[in-house]
Amino acid sequence: MSEYGTLQDRVRHKSLLSKVMTAEETIQFFKPGMNLGWSGFTPAGYPKVVPIAVADHVEKNNLQGKWKFNLFIGASVGAETEDRWASLDMIDRRWPYQTGKNIAAGINEGRIRMGDKHLSLFAQDLGYGFYTKDTESGRLDLAIIEVSAITEDGSLVPTSSCGVIPEILMICDKIIIEVNTGEPSFEGIHDLVSCGTPPNRQVLNITKAGSRIGSTSIPCDPKKVVAVVESKLRDQGRAFAEQDDTSEAIANHIIDFFTQEVKMGRLPDNLLPIQSGVGSIANAVIGGLAKGPFYNLSVYTEVLQDTMLDLFDSGKLDHASSCSLSLSATPGFPKFFENMDKYFDKITLRPLSISNAPEPIRRLGVIAMNTPVEIDIYAHANSTLVGGTRMINGLGGSGDFLRNGFLKMMHTPSSRPSKTDPTGISCVVPHCSHIDHTEHDLDCVVTEQGLADLRGLCPRDRAKVIIDKCAHPDYKPILTEYFEMAKADCLRRKVGHEPQLWDRAFKMHLNLEKNGTMKIKNWDMKVDLCE
Amino acid sequence: MSEYGTLQDRVRHKSLLSKVMTAEETIQFFKPGMNLGWSGFTPAGYPKVVPIAVADHVEKNNLQGKWKFNLFIGASVGAETEDRWASLDMIDRRWPYQTGKNIAAGINEGRIRMGDKHLSLFAQDLGYGFYTKDTESGRLDLAIIEVSAITEDGSLVPTSSCGVIPEILMICDKIIIEVNTGEPSFEGIHDLVSCGTPPNRQVLNITKAGSRIGSTSIPCDPKKVVAVVESKLRDQGRAFAEQDDTSEAIANHIIDFFTQEVKMGRLPDNLLPIQSGVGSIANAVIGGLAKGPFYNLSVYTEVLQDTMLDLFDSGKLDHASSCSLSLSATPGFPKFFENMDKYFDKITLRPLSISNAPEPIRRLGVIAMNTPVEIDIYAHANSTLVGGTRMINGLGGSGDFLRNGFLKMMHTPSSRPSKTDPTGISCVVPHCSHIDHTEHDLDCVVTEQGLADLRGLCPRDRAKVIIDKCAHPDYKPILTEYFEMAKADCLRRKVGHEPQLWDRAFKMHLNLEKNGTMKIKNWDMKVDLCE
């Protein structure tokens, strides 16, 4: 018997106990070509034993490339599931976010058809049937949902994330439930609502990070449940990204900026709810807040990382709302489970369609902070495609928060190493090779060099401030020369609202490809159209 | 006495009658460098006699270039005001949208510093003081508001648009009021709310296009009012854009698509609230709906054009919500005024911060339709900058609706004429020269050639469908060749999620600049980095 209670304890709708089976026995429900909907969001709350059993089945029976599925999941899930499926050529379509070497390779080599979308839109559009409309059933054929418990009326209690469970339940035909008895139950931490379909969508009456508008479980028709499987596997978790000097410098610029905004009366003393992405800079910012001058903070975001527990421990964070608890396997999750009574009431886990909904994000006035691949001198940002063509993970919720926040900020090191040059890649470029967020969405750009406050500036003024405050010193003269040259040329031709020269806007990118660095010697360029 | 009542009738807060003066007498309140906030949205509801008097003053006294102002207005206003100001070099900064030859010239020649932003964000950020923070006063120095009436308690009743009046009143120091007695009063048509500042922003409890959540006038501190001026000038209005074969073909594709979506159960019989941009295609779509099979329609949009009156007349439109009534000077406005009792209760005019707020747009499930400058094969869209550098009007609310709608559609002719070639400009290009809306925002692209339904497709699949369904026949082989070439190259290099070739992605644009057409003979290109 598990220390966290038995399967019989967790499955309170007793008729469903008749559906208990092993993971291997669920193979019967899978057919190649099916549309699958999984619980999970970032490597948290995803099904494990069933996807692993299906992968084992494919491997054992040499079904690689023959058993392929369309995977719809709130965001990425553990590498032992989706990335292994990719390595076994089991994925045809994948929406809207992923993590893993094999799945990324499949996408960029053309074997896996991935699409990404603002996560809040993905959630609603999935529920509207937009992603499955051209497939055989037109619906999700099979859902695999990890839960902490099934209530007396058959409702599902999720685990460490809510993802798109409500939308999956709206449009799926059959459901496999994984009941996780390998960890304490999360019952009570969630605030679950199914948004529904227009014209009957409801008002989301959230007025602070901790507002509760729903219930702690989500209704589910027991007749759709075809299997209940016990799992004792824990989330693989998100490895903690260490802070470095660069991320600390960025965090300091941000804390200074907040201090100034409070002083000018544009931010309250306890700031506004924080949204913070993942990675070392996000960790440094949260670390900076733990040491900083602001109290009674709140968080309204999509993922909570380990540092958020530290911010609670500092006594400065009152409440955190999120779609998932993306802690590290160690020390994050064990720390959380051992101190659940300390953290539990201060955290609300919401479905993606609510954690990322424009409605509460605008109303609350969230401070949005995310890291791009590159930004350009006019404040467009590339969040997804290296070199404009190679997918890393996906868009995630960056656009939900950047479009709707009170302050919309992007932070990045000013440069990154290329294979041959420690500062061979400038994160500030003349024109982004892919644009996920436009100049119309960003208020501030921050690098270790400084913070560019772009509010109220026209494009030409923005370019000056971004180059001056944010570019790496090695690239400042290069970018300045481009901007001055483009401006002179475009203003002369009376087309200079936002100056660019299309024969050379990508010279830095092309030079990186050819010579391993964006440090070009000059802006000369000979372009022959070869007519 | 005016046939629409006297100034004394309209100014019901009687102490303000002591502030009545001529437009010329308000010159005393203007100082160069001031931040001005005007009512108005698209050429509707803007102040007229005062801006014209200030322009006359500048012209008479040779103050061109010496009296310059920063103009913050909901959107464009009549050419007799902002465009004349631009011709007299009276504008330094201008946010967030404009219309007129002289003002566009000033922007693209570098004399006027314009910035554009999603209109819903512009409204809230203006109220937060973001646009005026670096100026001397840090606030709006002077507001000029056109009204139909001033109520007993000093509240203002706007005219044909609401624009950003609530936000202007939040942060302005002094107010000049123009009372328009040259047209009937609009009192009762508006639903006015001031959204406030976080953490105290309110829920917008709008659940259908006609929901009312506010009052018919907006509170105003009479102590701030420095002048009350009578005006008899009417809105210049928006000239009606005639439909042509291309726009009718586009409208037909859209009506067919709606019919199919209703049949598949993804849209209700009466569709969902319509947002429609301006111009000939928008007019054709509304015209198509007037003749089409759908009843009990509703509209939730930012501008109502003449065709909307026809849609009411057809008996198929139940209610329309908008930020402005942008009718033509003739026949639009006279028709509306002569039939006010027929239309009045079926129209709700809202402030920009509500007409364009993500919250009601998502909740209601608006069908968003707008026209871009160009779209690319992966469904990024350019809405603002011809050739990627020359500003036309501005972003407007396209992003508010496209990001938040139920269906997010862009419609455009597949080609436009260049100076020398009737189809010299392809509106479908390999890569947009400017990106205002990303691939993550669009569901459908429509040209007279056909409709591309992009829902659920990965970028490579999107490219095939867009080229196949939407590109002009002259450009289909050119675009196909580019896509196949880019795909082969990027997949070979294992970087092909969204294939592009940066040495030639803009060849069609460069060829247009050099040879007057995007019809290139081949995709050969010699690029010398000149190291």
Side-chain angles (χ1 to χ4, degrees), chain B residues 158-170:
Chain B
T159 58
S160 48
S161 77
C162 297
V164 290
I165 298 176
E167 288 77 17
I168 289 174
L169 295 182
M170 275 168 69

Side-chain angles (χ1 to χ4, degrees), chain B residues 16-27:
Chain B
L16 284 178
L17 287 171
S18 67
K19 303 281 175 64
V20 172
M21 61 183 77
T22 65
E24 292 68 29
E25 287 170 324
T26 67
I27 305 286

